[in-house]
Amino acid sequence: MPATLNTEPNIAAADDFYEALIETHRDLAPEQSGLVNAKLILLLANHIGDLDVLRQAMAHARAGIAPVGDGSAGVAGPPARAAPVGGPRKEAS
Amino acid sequence: MAGHASAADMIREATDANIDYQRLELAYARCADQDAAQPARHPVIVVGAGPVGLTMAIDLARQAIPVVVLDDDCRLSTGSRAICFAKRTLEIWDRLGVGQRMVDKGVSWSVGKVFFQDALVYAFNLLPEGGHHRPAFINLQQYYCEGYLYEAAAALPNVDLRWKSRVVALEHRAGHVELEVQTPEGAYRLHGEYVVACDGSRSPLRTMLGQEARGRTFHDRFLIADVRMSADFPAERWFWFDPPFHRNQSVLLHRQPDNVWRIDFQLGWNVDPDEEKKPSNVIPRIKALLGGDARFELEWVSVYTFACQRMERFRHGRVIFAGDAAHGVSPFGARGANSGVQDADNLGWKLGLVLAGKAPDRLLDSYGAEREFAADENILNSTRSTDFITPKSEVSRTFRDAVLKLAQDHPFARRLVNSGRLSVPATLSRSWLNTPDRDACAGAMTPGAPAADAPVRVDGCDAWFLQQLRGVFVVVVFSDDGSLASGTASALRKLAQQVIPIAAIVVVPPGAPQDAGTGGVVPEGGARGIAVVEDVQGLLARRYDACVGTCYLLRPDQHVCARWRAFDADAVIAALARATCNA
Ligand SMILES: Cc1cc2nc3c(=O)[nH]c(=O)nc-3n(C[C@H](O)[C@H](O)[C@H](O)COP(=O)(O)OP(=O)(O)OC[C@H]3O[C@@H](n4cnc5c(N)ncnc54)[C@H](O)[C@@H]3O)c2cc1C
């Protein structure tokens, strides 16, 4: 049985946690906050360790948020099923 | 096959050490087939004399199969192109008698260092344990690699190399494939029972069959520069993310033989490749890395974009695709030529058995299945590396930088840093040629795994385990100091006399008297006798999770096909039948 993400209350001092979280971002520009959040996610993810749990958390976080645009930034999609391409392409010799 | 090793030695002696393989012109010569009234028929025609086609030809020729190799050019690789050749590739070339020469010339390395901005983030060792014959990698210019393969192929009497011979048409006929070959003296037709298409990433043969390779092209350009200079950087792979001398992009530095250094600069998408390759633009970039008064000469400069792609099926009737023709990866991870050589390794023995009528044609389908599986693994790894190195969105870049920052202090984050997951062979775990474990066995040598090396002693001389596997099926039995169980020696000898012979190796522990180990069995050499190897450091038993009685069946390409806790001749025969589609 894969472990399940705990979404029941689990932090005893919930308000203290929330305050500390916001405090962590004090006086930071949005870009800096972005970096702090990314580091925080990575640290916590490593602490959790269980990929099943992490995937559930990612799915919960993403649920209900519709993508904008067509996602053509080239990030999504499995490698083997897009348009035919030729490569490696030498552009100049 | 011992004769071939000495042929390789002869070439080495005869070869001028200073041959300029980049400028070597391979002469077109008219052949008898061009004057034949009817198209001549050959068992195998290999199209393309790159590293994969040449490896393929040598493998087949060593099995006494005559091979015609057609190449549209008369030169070996221009520019260094591939430089990193992996341990597994060297082991394959060892089996074919050309590995030592590559290693002697190449720069061996196993340490990589990753820098972020101006700090070292961490260092990794790709081969942290001893007891392997070959290093994790050598760096060697592709023209040397192809030059050595070419010389080895040319020295084999049954390899027929035809330069300036371009395949321009292909047609499946009953029982063979007809090729039309264009030469400086006009076209001629040729029949092949099988055609191995090793004609590179733009494979004309793929197009002729109406096939395509599908995948992702990365919207990024890379400047690849080879410079000649005397420098005292160590023989390590150095990778920079966002260094001060090349802001916001990545840089890779590698040492090659002859004081040549490979430098890759990521350029981004919005640059003009023609401008970028001009020395007046390249030199300042290199000076920024090396320092203003560094002295160097530009050897070769090129700008590339890369794609991860593959054909949906590698086998199309009697035409079988291998190497870049079948699949392509971005170069981070050095999985291009390395995986292509593994394709040839996988196909060689299968074609040999099918052509000899010892296995059904269906065995060739397993080539497709196994190598498509391996290609997916290579593409997955190479795609992930490329996404880490060249983040495609702002958030992806933020996470990438967060990983790199954390990696300076926290070991966990170092595991996430991806500057290239360097080529390791696929464990063909899903292959239908494998016999699943019946007994409880542990360790990495699962069915489908490429056999691990270890130091051994044979006839009182130091040697390596993989050197004892000579391109045939091998049954390996671990014994203690005592003799083999009664009947085992004669059962092993019988296995060596089957239609598809299985050679036998008995492993004895360190210090065990070797002749006593098999109750007086004396190695007779070749596939007929029973070889005895001493596990000098006990590493073989450890790497194969072996205790007394443990038994492995290895394929001619050195992949494990089955293992047991005790030798059982019937089980070995059944596993062989399964591994050759004769079950
Ligand atoms: C910059 C760069 C760095 C790389 N670094 C590495 C690395 O470090 N490690 C690694 O493993 N790989 C690396 N690669 C990839 C590697 O170079 C290729 O994977 C490798 O060359 C593929 O070998 P191949 O034999 O399949 O094809 P190729 O080497 O492309 O050979 C194909 C041959 O077929 C011939 N041919 C084509 N059409 C026809 C026709 N119609 N008739 C007859 N002949 C024909 C061509 O002339 C050519 O000789 C790198 C590639 C590049 C560009």
Side-chain angles (χ1 to χ4, degrees), chain A residues 31 33-47 73-93, chain B residues 201-202 212-217 221 273-274 277 301-309 312 324 379 383 387 392 398-399 401-403 405-406 410 412 416:
Chain A
E31 200 180 297
S33 275
L35 182 61
V36 169
N37 276 338
K39 288 165 89 173
L40 193 58
I41 290 168
L42 293 166
L43 284 158
L44 296 174
N46 181 63
H47 184 85
V75 243
R81 291 288 175 277
V85 287
R89 204 156 44 231
K90 188 167 162 190
E91 307 229 12
S93 46
Chain B
S201 62
R202 294 177 189 188
E212 46 195 21
R214 288 167 176 271
R216 262 175 76 183
T217 305
R221 297 181 208 276
D274 288 322
K277 58 145 204 184
V301 176
S302 194
V303 174
Y304 283 88
T305 55
F306 293 104
C308 283
Q309 56 179 13
E312 194 172 343
D324 277 11
I379 286 171
T383 303
D387 281 342
K392 304 299 181 298
T398 302
F399 273 112
D401 289 353
V403 165
K405 286 227 159 76
L406 288 168
H410 303 290
F412 89 87
L416 301 174

Side-chain angles (χ1 to χ4, degrees), chain B residues 95-255:
Chain B
R95 181 172 67 72
L96 301 178
V98 289
Q100 190 58 44
R101 211 175 163 201
M102 307 270 186
V103 175
D104 287 345
K105 180 70 190 178
V107 175
S108 295
W109 65 275
S110 58
V111 170
K113 288 193 175 138
V114 177
F115 302 84
F116 180 43
Q117 295 168 349
D118 45 18
L120 174 68
V121 175
Y122 81 115
F124 57 85
N125 188 340
L126 296 167
L127 194 58
E129 57 172 27
H132 293 268
H133 186 198
R134 295 309 182 194
F137 274 91
I138 62 164
N139 285 354
L140 183 69
Q141 291 89 329
Q142 187 162 336
Y143 48 80
Y144 279 117
C145 152
E146 290 185 12
Y148 298 165
L149 288 169
Y150 154 69
E151 285 170 355
L156 292 168
N158 42 4
V159 177
D160 179 351
L161 289 159
R162 301 184 188 173
W163 306 102
K164 287 214 164 286
S165 301
R166 181 194 304 268
V167 175
V168 291
L170 174 155
E171 204 180 309
H172 264 101
R173 298 279 181 82
H176 65 265
V177 176
E178 179 168 296
L179 298 180
E180 185 178 336
V181 184
Q182 189 70 50
T183 75
E185 297 179 306
Y188 67 103
R189 284 166 197 278
L190 210 50
H191 289 176
E193 266 178 76
Y194 290 98
V195 170
V196 188
C198 309
D199 53 345
S201 62
R202 294 177 189 188
S203 175
L205 268 65
R206 194 172 66 208
T207 311
M208 287 170 206
L209 285 176
Q211 298 296 316
E212 46 195 21
R214 288 167 176 271
R216 262 175 76 183
T217 305
F218 295 98
H219 282 211
D220 215 323
R221 297 181 208 276
F222 291 86
L223 174 72
I224 317 279
D226 280 353
V227 305
R228 196 180 287 271
M229 63 176 177
S230 306
D232 49 10
F233 300 111
E236 297 172 347
R237 176 187 198 261
W238 284 11
F239 195 100
W240 287 267
F241 290 99
D242 190 18
F245 53 85
H246 193 59
R247 276 264 96 103
N248 290 314
Q249 309 280 14
S250 65
V251 177
L252 176 61
L253 177 72
H254 254 308
R255 178 184 204 143

Side-chain angles (χ1 to χ4, degrees), chain A residues 88, chain B residues 47-54 70-73 75 77 80-86 89 137 139 142 146 163 165-168 198-205 208 224 262 264 300 302 304 306 322-325 327 329 331 333-340 423:
Chain B
V47 183
V52 179
L54 290 169
L70 304 170
D71 194 277
D72 61 352
D73 202 4
R75 283 181 194 281
S77 175
S80 310
R81 294 178 69 201
I83 57 165
C84 301
F85 295 99
T89 302
F137 274 91
N139 285 354
Q142 187 162 336
E146 290 185 12
W163 306 102
S165 301
R166 181 194 304 268
V167 175
V168 291
C198 309
D199 53 345
S201 62
R202 294 177 189 188
S203 175
L205 268 65
M208 287 170 206
I224 317 279
R262 162 68 53 87
D264 292 7
W300 177 68
S302 194
Y304 283 88
F306 293 104
D324 277 11
H327 47 74
V329 289
R335 288 168 181 263
N338 284 306
S339 64
S423 174

